[in-house]
Structures are given as C-alpha cells and as structure tokens.
Amino acid sequence: PNPAKDHLNVFSVFQTYKTEILGLDGKVLISASQDDTRLDVSSLQNGVYIIKLESENNKYYEKFIKN
C-alpha cells in the first residue's frame, strides 16, 4: 500500500469518472469528481483505506495507508 499524510495524488491510465475513498467496511468516506487528481485525506484518522477509481467500463480498487 502507498502511504499518504494530508493529500493523495490520483493518476489513472483510463478516464476516471468517479473517485471514492472507502473504509475497510466499504463505507464511502470521501467522494470526488473526475477533475480531482489530488484528494484531501487530512480529515481521515490514521489507518488503512481503499481508493476506488471508476470509469465507464471499469472499477479499480487499491489500498493505501493514511499516516
């Protein structure tokens, strides 16, 4: 997993329509539009989270650590 402190930079090889930060329980904690490439995660407590990138035909999930 990739560590993040206050911001998470998001880059994708496909056009992303929606980006979400999820808790390990699947609950959406942060939601962003396709134009956001830098997400503010400073409000999250330290721990492990999942980032979900969604395009027209694909969904991609990756864990990251907030510290």
Side-chain angles (χ1 to χ4, degrees), residues 9-53:
N9 293 311
V10 179
F11 300 99
S12 175
V13 295
F14 54 86
Q15 172 109 23
T16 302
Y17 292 100
K18 184 164 57 168
T19 303
E20 295 178 331
I21 303 294
L22 311 172
L24 293 179
D25 60 359
K27 181 180 174 185
V28 176
L29 304 173
I30 297 173
S31 186
S33 70
Q34 68 186 29
D35 298 328
D36 294 331
T37 59
R38 184 175 172 152
L39 300 177
D40 182 357
V41 295
S42 62
S43 64
L44 299 176
Q45 294 183 6
N46 291 351
V48 178
Y49 296 90
I50 299 168
I51 184 167
K52 174 184 167 186
L53 303 176

Side-chain angles (χ1 to χ4, degrees), residues 1-9 39 41 46-47 64-67:
N2 301 312
K5 184 171 179 156
D6 293 324
H7 293 91
L8 186 66
N9 293 311
L39 300 177
V41 295
N46 291 351
F64 75 94
I65 298 170
K66 193 323 189 149
N67 57 12

